[in-house]
Amino acid sequence: MVRWKKMTRVVYQLYSSVQTGGKLIFSKQYLLYTNIGLSVGISAVGDVLEQSYQHSKNGSFSRASWDCTRTGKMAATGLVVAPFIHYWYQQLDVIFPGRCWKVLFKKVSLDFIICSPVCVLLFLMTTGLLDRQGWSSFKEELQKTGTTMCLTDLLVWTPLQIFNFYFLPTRYRILFDNIVSLAMDTFYSHLRFGENSSYQLHVKEVAE
């Protein structure tokens, strides 16, 4: 009985600590830093999963074959994109307060028309600059990879953003985005750095 009470007390204290910490990191004071940290971490994890899949598929999984620089580039995209999304959500709620269907339609539409292309552009610009990509190569990738990313956003994010804007308060929206983005960032890593990507074709051309 005494042991049970001690276990219950420990669990309650742990729960209270997590709850207090959660309120703190999602408070207005620290929300930007929390969103940036989540975005950087999820972007890196997405690339880790994609590289693991690629190496497992090719039977070449080993520490030596791991491209840490590539993971760092994906993390950098999270660092660049997160502040934009953070302030984007805040401004949407200021301009379009409420949760009626009319407001929801405006938010989701603007999110796809404005936010999605900007995020895709920031993503490709960040990786392009880190790879020292030339202008002609960047334009080609923007047309190829950027178009695929925007279409994917339309199909995947549109229904998810309806849920996001309707049910979740502003401070938890990027958390929701990042949970979904674990799969999306894995896919984006595949598009940008995968075997048939413009990046890999460029690497092969340089090597030859």
Side-chain angles (χ1 to χ4, degrees), residues 131-167:
D131 285 333
R132 297 180 180 179
Q133 191 175 31
W135 174 244
S136 59
S137 177
F138 175 75
K139 286 195 298 182
E140 181 183 344
E141 181 146 44
L142 190 61
Q143 293 174 352
K144 180 183 175 182
T145 308
T147 301
T148 303
M149 290 175 70
C150 285
L151 289 174
T152 304
D153 283 358
L154 174 63
L155 296 174
V156 175
W157 281 113
T158 300
L160 291 173
Q161 290 294 59
I162 292 174
F163 172 86
N164 197 3
F165 287 125
Y166 189 78
F167 290 103

Short mmCIF file of all heavy atoms in Angstrom, two decimals, residues 131-167:
data_model
loop_
_atom_site.label_atom_id
_atom_site.label_comp_id
_atom_site.label_asym_id
_atom_site.label_seq_id
_atom_site.Cartn_x
_atom_site.Cartn_y
_atom_site.Cartn_z
N ASP A 131 23.70 24.68 -50.84
CA ASP A 131 24.36 23.86 -51.86
C ASP A 131 25.10 24.70 -52.90
O ASP A 131 25.67 24.15 -53.85
CB ASP A 131 23.32 22.98 -52.59
CG ASP A 131 22.85 21.82 -51.73
OD1 ASP A 131 23.63 21.39 -50.86
OD2 ASP A 131 21.71 21.35 -51.93
N ARG A 132 25.02 26.03 -52.74
CA ARG A 132 25.63 26.96 -53.71
C ARG A 132 25.09 26.68 -55.11
O ARG A 132 25.84 26.60 -56.09
CB ARG A 132 27.15 26.85 -53.67
CG ARG A 132 27.74 27.25 -52.34
CD ARG A 132 29.24 27.14 -52.32
NE ARG A 132 29.78 27.54 -51.02
CZ ARG A 132 31.08 27.52 -50.71
NH1 ARG A 132 31.97 27.14 -51.61
NH2 ARG A 132 31.48 27.87 -49.51
N GLN A 133 23.80 26.54 -55.17
CA GLN A 133 23.12 26.18 -56.42
C GLN A 133 23.06 27.39 -57.36
O GLN A 133 22.76 28.50 -56.92
CB GLN A 133 21.71 25.70 -56.09
CG GLN A 133 20.96 25.05 -57.22
CD GLN A 133 19.63 24.50 -56.72
OE1 GLN A 133 19.02 25.04 -55.81
NE2 GLN A 133 19.18 23.42 -57.34
N GLY A 134 23.33 27.18 -58.61
CA GLY A 134 23.26 28.26 -59.59
C GLY A 134 21.82 28.66 -59.90
O GLY A 134 20.89 27.91 -59.62
N TRP A 135 21.67 29.83 -60.52
CA TRP A 135 20.33 30.35 -60.79
C TRP A 135 19.55 29.47 -61.74
O TRP A 135 18.38 29.19 -61.53
CB TRP A 135 20.44 31.77 -61.35
CG TRP A 135 19.12 32.36 -61.78
CD1 TRP A 135 18.76 32.71 -63.04
CD2 TRP A 135 17.99 32.63 -60.95
NE1 TRP A 135 17.48 33.20 -63.06
CE2 TRP A 135 16.98 33.17 -61.80
CE3 TRP A 135 17.72 32.49 -59.60
CZ2 TRP A 135 15.72 33.55 -61.31
CZ3 TRP A 135 16.47 32.87 -59.11
CH2 TRP A 135 15.49 33.39 -59.96
N SER A 136 20.17 29.00 -62.80
CA SER A 136 19.47 28.16 -63.78
C SER A 136 19.04 26.83 -63.14
O SER A 136 17.94 26.34 -63.39
CB SER A 136 20.36 27.88 -64.99
OG SER A 136 21.57 27.23 -64.60
N SER A 137 19.91 26.27 -62.31
CA SER A 137 19.59 25.03 -61.61
C SER A 137 18.45 25.25 -60.61
O SER A 137 17.56 24.41 -60.46
CB SER A 137 20.82 24.49 -60.88
OG SER A 137 20.50 23.32 -60.15
N PHE A 138 18.48 26.40 -59.94
CA PHE A 138 17.43 26.73 -58.97
C PHE A 138 16.07 26.88 -59.67
O PHE A 138 15.06 26.39 -59.18
CB PHE A 138 17.78 28.00 -58.21
CG PHE A 138 16.69 28.46 -57.29
CD1 PHE A 138 16.46 27.81 -56.09
CD2 PHE A 138 15.88 29.54 -57.63
CE1 PHE A 138 15.44 28.22 -55.23
CE2 PHE A 138 14.86 29.96 -56.79
CZ PHE A 138 14.65 29.30 -55.59
N LYS A 139 16.06 27.56 -60.81
CA LYS A 139 14.80 27.74 -61.55
C LYS A 139 14.23 26.39 -61.99
O LYS A 139 13.01 26.16 -61.91
CB LYS A 139 15.02 28.63 -62.77
CG LYS A 139 15.19 30.09 -62.46
CD LYS A 139 15.04 30.96 -63.70
CE LYS A 139 16.09 30.64 -64.73
NZ LYS A 139 15.96 31.51 -65.93
N GLU A 140 15.11 25.51 -62.43
CA GLU A 140 14.67 24.18 -62.86
C GLU A 140 14.07 23.40 -61.68
O GLU A 140 13.03 22.76 -61.80
CB GLU A 140 15.85 23.41 -63.44
CG GLU A 140 15.50 22.02 -63.93
CD GLU A 140 16.71 21.26 -64.43
OE1 GLU A 140 17.75 21.90 -64.70
OE2 GLU A 140 16.61 20.02 -64.56
N GLU A 141 14.74 23.51 -60.53
CA GLU A 141 14.24 22.79 -59.35
C GLU A 141 12.95 23.41 -58.84
O GLU A 141 12.06 22.70 -58.35
CB GLU A 141 15.29 22.81 -58.25
CG GLU A 141 14.85 22.06 -57.01
CD GLU A 141 16.01 21.37 -56.34
OE1 GLU A 141 17.07 22.00 -56.21
OE2 GLU A 141 15.84 20.21 -55.94
N LEU A 142 12.84 24.72 -58.94
CA LEU A 142 11.61 25.39 -58.52
C LEU A 142 10.43 24.92 -59.35
O LEU A 142 9.33 24.71 -58.82
CB LEU A 142 11.79 26.91 -58.64
CG LEU A 142 10.70 27.79 -58.02
CD1 LEU A 142 10.61 27.55 -56.52
CD2 LEU A 142 10.99 29.26 -58.31
N GLN A 143 10.64 24.75 -60.64
CA GLN A 143 9.57 24.27 -61.52
C GLN A 143 9.23 22.82 -61.26
O GLN A 143 8.06 22.44 -61.22
CB GLN A 143 10.00 24.45 -62.98
CG GLN A 143 10.11 25.90 -63.41
CD GLN A 143 10.67 26.05 -64.82
OE1 GLN A 143 11.11 25.08 -65.43
NE2 GLN A 143 10.67 27.27 -65.33
N LYS A 144 10.26 22.00 -61.05
CA LYS A 144 10.04 20.56 -60.88
C LYS A 144 9.63 20.21 -59.45
O LYS A 144 8.51 19.77 -59.19
CB LYS A 144 11.32 19.81 -61.26
CG LYS A 144 11.21 18.30 -61.13
CD LYS A 144 12.54 17.62 -61.46
CE LYS A 144 12.48 16.13 -61.22
NZ LYS A 144 13.79 15.47 -61.49
N THR A 145 10.55 20.42 -58.51
CA THR A 145 10.31 20.06 -57.11
C THR A 145 9.27 20.96 -56.47
O THR A 145 8.40 20.49 -55.72
CB THR A 145 11.62 20.13 -56.31
OG1 THR A 145 12.63 19.38 -56.97
CG2 THR A 145 11.42 19.59 -54.90
N GLY A 146 9.35 22.27 -56.76
CA GLY A 146 8.41 23.21 -56.16
C GLY A 146 6.97 22.93 -56.55
O GLY A 146 6.07 23.00 -55.72
N THR A 147 6.74 22.59 -57.82
CA THR A 147 5.39 22.28 -58.28
C THR A 147 4.84 21.04 -57.57
O THR A 147 3.69 21.01 -57.13
CB THR A 147 5.37 22.04 -59.80
OG1 THR A 147 5.84 23.22 -60.46
CG2 THR A 147 3.96 21.72 -60.28
N THR A 148 5.68 20.01 -57.44
CA THR A 148 5.26 18.79 -56.76
C THR A 148 4.94 19.06 -55.29
O THR A 148 3.95 18.55 -54.75
CB THR A 148 6.37 17.72 -56.84
OG1 THR A 148 6.70 17.47 -58.20
CG2 THR A 148 5.92 16.41 -56.18
N MET A 149 5.75 19.89 -54.64
CA MET A 149 5.52 20.22 -53.23
C MET A 149 4.21 20.99 -53.06
O MET A 149 3.44 20.73 -52.13
CB MET A 149 6.69 21.04 -52.69
CG MET A 149 7.97 20.24 -52.53
SD MET A 149 9.39 21.26 -52.02
CE MET A 149 8.94 21.67 -50.34
N CYS A 150 3.92 21.92 -53.96
CA CYS A 150 2.68 22.70 -53.87
C CYS A 150 1.45 21.82 -54.09
O CYS A 150 0.45 21.97 -53.40
CB CYS A 150 2.70 23.85 -54.88
SG CYS A 150 3.76 25.24 -54.40
N LEU A 151 1.53 20.92 -55.06
CA LEU A 151 0.41 20.00 -55.30
C LEU A 151 0.19 19.07 -54.12
O LEU A 151 -0.95 18.78 -53.74
CB LEU A 151 0.67 19.20 -56.57
CG LEU A 151 0.59 19.95 -57.89
CD1 LEU A 151 1.01 19.06 -59.06
CD2 LEU A 151 -0.83 20.48 -58.12
N THR A 152 1.29 18.62 -53.52
CA THR A 152 1.19 17.78 -52.33
C THR A 152 0.54 18.54 -51.18
O THR A 152 -0.30 18.00 -50.45
CB THR A 152 2.58 17.29 -51.90
OG1 THR A 152 3.20 16.61 -52.98
CG2 THR A 152 2.48 16.34 -50.70
N ASP A 153 0.94 19.80 -51.01
CA ASP A 153 0.34 20.64 -49.98
C ASP A 153 -1.17 20.78 -50.19
O ASP A 153 -1.95 20.75 -49.24
CB ASP A 153 0.98 22.03 -49.99
CG ASP A 153 2.35 22.03 -49.32
OD1 ASP A 153 2.76 20.96 -48.82
OD2 ASP A 153 3.00 23.09 -49.29
N LEU A 154 -1.57 20.95 -51.45
CA LEU A 154 -3.00 21.10 -51.76
C LEU A 154 -3.78 19.85 -51.34
O LEU A 154 -4.84 19.94 -50.71
CB LEU A 154 -3.18 21.36 -53.25
CG LEU A 154 -4.63 21.40 -53.76
CD1 LEU A 154 -5.39 22.55 -53.10
CD2 LEU A 154 -4.67 21.52 -55.27
N LEU A 155 -3.24 18.68 -51.67
CA LEU A 155 -3.95 17.43 -51.40
C LEU A 155 -3.91 17.04 -49.93
O LEU A 155 -4.89 16.52 -49.39
CB LEU A 155 -3.34 16.30 -52.25
CG LEU A 155 -3.49 16.45 -53.77
CD1 LEU A 155 -2.71 15.35 -54.49
CD2 LEU A 155 -4.96 16.42 -54.17
N VAL A 156 -2.78 17.29 -49.29
CA VAL A 156 -2.60 16.83 -47.90
C VAL A 156 -3.02 17.89 -46.89
O VAL A 156 -3.79 17.62 -45.95
CB VAL A 156 -1.14 16.42 -47.65
CG1 VAL A 156 -0.92 16.06 -46.18
CG2 VAL A 156 -0.75 15.24 -48.54
N TRP A 157 -2.53 19.12 -47.08
CA TRP A 157 -2.72 20.13 -46.05
C TRP A 157 -4.10 20.75 -46.04
O TRP A 157 -4.57 21.20 -44.98
CB TRP A 157 -1.68 21.23 -46.21
CG TRP A 157 -0.34 20.87 -45.66
CD1 TRP A 157 0.81 20.67 -46.35
CD2 TRP A 157 0.00 20.65 -44.29
NE1 TRP A 157 1.84 20.34 -45.50
CE2 TRP A 157 1.36 20.32 -44.23
CE3 TRP A 157 -0.74 20.68 -43.10
CZ2 TRP A 157 2.02 20.03 -43.04
CZ3 TRP A 157 -0.10 20.40 -41.91
CH2 TRP A 157 1.27 20.08 -41.88
N THR A 158 -4.78 20.80 -47.18
CA THR A 158 -6.09 21.46 -47.20
C THR A 158 -7.07 20.85 -46.21
O THR A 158 -7.63 21.57 -45.36
CB THR A 158 -6.68 21.44 -48.63
OG1 THR A 158 -5.80 22.12 -49.52
CG2 THR A 158 -8.04 22.12 -48.65
N PRO A 159 -7.33 19.53 -46.23
CA PRO A 159 -8.24 18.97 -45.22
C PRO A 159 -7.68 19.07 -43.80
O PRO A 159 -8.45 19.28 -42.84
CB PRO A 159 -8.39 17.50 -45.65
CG PRO A 159 -7.21 17.22 -46.51
CD PRO A 159 -6.88 18.49 -47.18
N LEU A 160 -6.38 18.94 -43.65
CA LEU A 160 -5.78 19.01 -42.31
C LEU A 160 -5.86 20.43 -41.74
O LEU A 160 -6.04 20.61 -40.53
CB LEU A 160 -4.32 18.55 -42.37
CG LEU A 160 -4.13 17.06 -42.64
CD1 LEU A 160 -2.65 16.74 -42.83
CD2 LEU A 160 -4.70 16.21 -41.52
N GLN A 161 -5.73 21.43 -42.61
CA GLN A 161 -5.80 22.81 -42.14
C GLN A 161 -7.23 23.19 -41.73
O GLN A 161 -7.42 24.06 -40.89
CB GLN A 161 -5.27 23.77 -43.20
CG GLN A 161 -3.78 23.70 -43.43
CD GLN A 161 -2.98 24.15 -42.21
OE1 GLN A 161 -3.11 23.60 -41.12
NE2 GLN A 161 -2.16 25.15 -42.40
N ILE A 162 -8.21 22.55 -42.32
CA ILE A 162 -9.60 22.78 -41.88
C ILE A 162 -9.73 22.38 -40.43
O ILE A 162 -10.30 23.11 -39.60
CB ILE A 162 -10.59 21.99 -42.77
CG1 ILE A 162 -10.60 22.57 -44.19
CG2 ILE A 162 -12.00 22.01 -42.16
CD1 ILE A 162 -11.43 21.76 -45.17
N PHE A 163 -9.18 21.22 -40.09
CA PHE A 163 -9.18 20.77 -38.69
C PHE A 163 -8.35 21.71 -37.82
O PHE A 163 -8.76 22.10 -36.72
CB PHE A 163 -8.61 19.35 -38.61
CG PHE A 163 -8.38 18.86 -37.21
CD1 PHE A 163 -9.41 18.26 -36.50
CD2 PHE A 163 -7.14 19.00 -36.60
CE1 PHE A 163 -9.20 17.81 -35.20
CE2 PHE A 163 -6.93 18.56 -35.30
CZ PHE A 163 -7.96 17.97 -34.60
N ASN A 164 -7.19 22.09 -38.33
CA ASN A 164 -6.26 22.94 -37.58
C ASN A 164 -6.90 24.28 -37.23
O ASN A 164 -6.88 24.72 -36.08
CB ASN A 164 -4.99 23.15 -38.41
CG ASN A 164 -3.82 23.66 -37.59
OD1 ASN A 164 -3.90 23.81 -36.38
ND2 ASN A 164 -2.72 23.92 -38.26
N PHE A 165 -7.47 24.96 -38.22
CA PHE A 165 -8.03 26.28 -38.00
C PHE A 165 -9.34 26.24 -37.20
O PHE A 165 -9.66 27.20 -36.49
CB PHE A 165 -8.28 26.99 -39.34
CG PHE A 165 -7.02 27.45 -40.02
CD1 PHE A 165 -6.72 27.07 -41.32
CD2 PHE A 165 -6.11 28.26 -39.36
CE1 PHE A 165 -5.57 27.49 -41.95
CE2 PHE A 165 -4.95 28.69 -39.97
CZ PHE A 165 -4.68 28.31 -41.27
N TYR A 166 -10.08 25.17 -37.34
CA TYR A 166 -11.39 25.11 -36.69
C TYR A 166 -11.30 24.70 -35.22
O TYR A 166 -11.98 25.26 -34.36
CB TYR A 166 -12.31 24.14 -37.43
CG TYR A 166 -13.75 24.19 -36.95
CD1 TYR A 166 -14.59 25.21 -37.36
CD2 TYR A 166 -14.24 23.22 -36.07
CE1 TYR A 166 -15.90 25.28 -36.91
CE2 TYR A 166 -15.55 23.28 -35.62
CZ TYR A 166 -16.37 24.30 -36.05
OH TYR A 166 -17.66 24.37 -35.60
N PHE A 167 -10.45 23.72 -34.93
CA PHE A 167 -10.44 23.15 -33.58
C PHE A 167 -9.32 23.65 -32.67
O PHE A 167 -9.49 23.69 -31.45
CB PHE A 167 -10.35 21.61 -33.66
CG PHE A 167 -11.59 20.96 -34.18
CD1 PHE A 167 -11.64 20.50 -35.49
CD2 PHE A 167 -12.71 20.82 -33.38
CE1 PHE A 167 -12.78 19.89 -35.98
CE2 PHE A 167 -13.86 20.22 -33.86
CZ PHE A 167 -13.90 19.76 -35.17
#
